[in-house]
Amino acid sequence: MNFTKISFLIFISFLTSVNLLAYDPHANLTKDNKLPKDLEGIGFSDVTGKQLKLDIEFIDDQGNPVKLSQYFGKGKPILLSPVYFKCPTLCNYHMNGVMKVLKALDFTAGKEFEYLAISFNSKETTQVSKPKKAVYLKEYGRKEAESGFHLLTGDDDSINALLSQLQFRYRWDEESKQFIHASGIYVLTPSGQVSRIFQGIQFDERDLKLAFTEASEGKIGSFVDRFALFCFQFDPRKNKYTIYAYRIMQMGGGVTLLVLASFLFINWRKISKNNRQGVI
């Protein structure tokens, strides 16, 4: 009985620790923050779960006309960055953040996923995208990535056809001669559905790996990756995957029941053995 009490106390302690980990006192600190006036109307909307129409024509970094749909349907998730390649500030930070997390990731573009960086500046052409791709591929340092790393340009109709679906809001500022826009990446399923959105210029390796595993429905990634996805759930308020307390509680309860069942079985065996010895 002492063992049973100890097991119960351990389980209660475990649940308490999970609740403490799951609680974030800063989760709502930015709830009432307001954007500066210049940034009003700029940013992302939550279009998670939306199926995109992919019959949109762009120009790839080799100067060839391509349909967006040709990058999908291969069983691989898609990582998409809305940027413009001559951006003097934010897009450079964005692409640096993307390259940093992709180099840390043990998945490779072209093998486990496809990467698309699509310019929303219709004046940009292959003369910009081709050398940019060469620079990024050199930094990435993985030869097999060339087939899965794409920088696309297009006209206003194509750009609007895609970004209006994503509800990615930006505008041209005549005074600064720059686009005012936000920074973030979209993780899309192989069929073109929006699976996850990560905002910012720095991205977490674990979050991206979980998002790829989730978007592919477990078709890429190891058993450990799929098990981790079972334990974590995406929290849009925090823009990351966090411990899913209910799942952890389920596992904790299962472990406790297993321990208690083992204890009862061992004691039953001892009682049965003693009874047989008493009969003899």
Side-chain angles (χ1 to χ4, degrees), residues 46-237:
D46 185 4
V47 291
T48 303
K50 184 174 184 177
Q51 176 63 50
L52 301 181
K53 296 178 181 178
L54 303 174
D55 189 27
I56 307 171
E57 190 170 287
F58 287 94
I59 303 297
D60 70 12
D61 41 65
Q62 301 303 310
N64 303 311
V66 292
K67 287 288 183 69
L68 195 61
S69 57
Q70 74 183 57
Y71 301 107
F72 293 80
K74 301 177 182 179
K76 303 173 187 176
I78 309 292
L79 183 66
L80 188 151
S81 292
V83 293
Y84 73 106
F85 303 127
K86 285 188 175 181
C87 178
T89 52
L90 186 58
C91 291
N92 288 325
Y93 291 115
H94 170 89
M95 292 299 293
N96 289 340
V98 169
M99 295 310 304
K100 182 179 179 180
V101 71
L102 292 188
K103 287 193 292 183
L105 201 66
D106 57 6
F107 293 165
T108 299
K111 187 177 179 182
E112 284 88 6
F113 68 95
E114 299 279 328
Y115 177 64
L116 301 176
I118 300 180
S119 173
F120 49 77
N121 184 353
S122 60
K123 295 181 180 179
E124 294 186 331
T125 66
T126 308
Q127 292 182 338
V128 178
S129 62
K130 186 175 182 178
K132 279 280 186 180
K133 177 178 178 177
V135 171
Y136 290 132
L137 282 179
K138 183 177 180 180
E139 182 182 352
Y140 194 21
R142 303 185 191 183
K143 294 181 180 180
E144 64 269 39
E146 186 169 0
S147 64
F149 200 99
H150 315 281
L151 274 62
L152 308 182
T153 55
D155 59 26
D156 285 325
D157 289 340
S158 296
I159 293 167
N160 292 335
L162 175 61
L163 297 190
S164 62
Q165 294 183 76
L166 294 173
Q167 295 183 34
F168 176 79
R169 302 179 302 280
Y170 64 101
R171 64 178 172 82
W172 174 256
D173 182 62
E174 186 61 33
E175 184 177 349
S176 64
K177 303 297 181 182
Q178 296 179 30
F179 283 97
I180 300 177
H181 61 95
S183 174
I185 51 177
Y186 295 85
V187 177
L188 311 175
T189 68
S191 63
Q193 191 176 53
V194 180
S195 181
R196 293 294 168 217
I197 305 169
F198 295 99
Q199 299 184 53
I201 58 175
Q202 296 291 327
F203 309 101
D204 183 82
E205 175 192 354
R206 185 200 66 189
D207 288 339
L208 189 56
K209 193 170 189 178
L210 289 173
F212 280 152
T213 303
E214 184 178 25
S216 69
E217 297 182 346
K219 293 178 182 178
I220 66 170
S222 64
F223 170 78
V224 174
D225 298 325
R226 293 190 290 273
F227 182 76
L229 187 60
F230 178 83
C231 300
F232 288 81
Q233 187 176 54
F234 187 75
D235 186 341
R237 296 172 304 169

Side-chain angles (χ1 to χ4, degrees), residues 231-245:
C231 300
F232 288 81
Q233 187 176 54
F234 187 75
D235 186 341
R237 296 172 304 169
K238 300 176 184 177
N239 196 39
K240 63 185 297 181
Y241 284 84
T242 57
I243 291 176
Y244 189 16

